[in-house]
């Protein structure tokens, strides 16, 4: 996209702010300011750690799947569909990038068992436009969405 045709997905009003603090990076713990979140963080064995804790990729997968599912239910409701029984699963991969750093890739698997494929695809596409995680990652990381 050129600069003058880019879609601006920044919020016009902040309605909620989440706060969390990391202690020890990928080998420590994370807490939220409200006390609802307190988790041990550990490198997964595939990256040389002991795996005795969660990791940022799991937290990102949980957040993206929950947020995308909420967007899906919202657009479904607006279109007159009850999406009870639907699910969204997220896989977040991490690996080296060409800039000598690391990057992420996301795969979302959406299950809409009560809808035909055409309607399901339209709702998923609409949710991808509404979801804040989709908007934040668009153009920055690969996000693949599969209807299953």
């Amino acid at each position: 996209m050129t600069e003058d045709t880019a879609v601006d997905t920044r919020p016009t009003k902040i309605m909620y702010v989440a706060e969390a603090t990391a202690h020890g990076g990928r080998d420590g713990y994370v807490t939220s300011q409200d006390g609802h979140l307190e988790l041990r963080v550990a490198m997964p064995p595939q990256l040389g750690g002991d795996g005795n804790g969660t990791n940022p990729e799991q937290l990102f997968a949980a957040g993206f799947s929950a947020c995308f599912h909420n967007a899906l239910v919202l657009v479904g409701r607006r279109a007159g569909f009850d999406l009870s029984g639907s699910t969204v699963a997220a896989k977040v991969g991490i690996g080296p990038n060409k800039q000598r750093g690391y990057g992420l890739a996301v795969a979302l698997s959406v299950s809409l068992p009560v809808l035909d494929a055409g309607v399901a695809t339209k709702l998923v596409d609409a949710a991808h436009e509404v979801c804040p995680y989709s908007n934040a990652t668009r153009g920055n990381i690969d996000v693949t969405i599969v209807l299953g």
Side-chain angles (χ1 to χ4, degrees):
M1 285 185 171
T2 61
E3 196 65 31
D4 57 333
T5 61
V7 175
D8 187 355
T9 59
R10 294 174 294 181
T12 58
K13 175 183 169 185
I14 301 297
M15 298 169 57
Y16 169 74
V17 174
E19 294 182 49
T21 303
H23 310 265
R26 285 181 168 270
D27 192 22
Y29 63 100
V30 293
T31 59
S32 61
Q33 184 176 356
D34 63 8
H36 291 296
L37 180 71
E38 186 172 334
L39 299 169
R40 181 173 174 347
V41 181
M43 292 280 275
Q46 298 87 337
L47 298 178
D50 63 17
N52 289 327
T54 191
N55 58 66
E57 293 72 37
Q58 288 174 329
L59 296 171
F60 190 72
F64 204 153
S65 63
C67 192
F68 193 90
H69 193 236
N70 195 71
L72 186 62
V73 169
L74 173 71
V75 299
R77 184 173 53 243
R78 287 179 179 169
F81 295 100
D82 177 4
L83 300 185
S84 297
S86 62
T87 60
V88 176
K91 293 181 181 180
V92 174
I94 184 171
N97 64 22
K98 294 179 182 178
Q99 286 73 39
R100 299 174 55 101
Y102 291 86
L104 300 174
V106 174
L108 299 176
S109 178
V110 179
S111 174
L112 292 166
V114 297
L115 299 178
D116 69 58
V119 171
T121 297
K122 287 179 183 177
L123 293 179
V124 167
D125 290 346
H128 196 40
E129 295 300 316
V130 170
C131 176
Y133 277 69
S134 292
N135 287 328
T137 59
R138 188 172 291 110
N140 299 310
I141 66 174
D142 290 335
V143 176
T144 305
I145 304 174
V146 177
L147 271 168

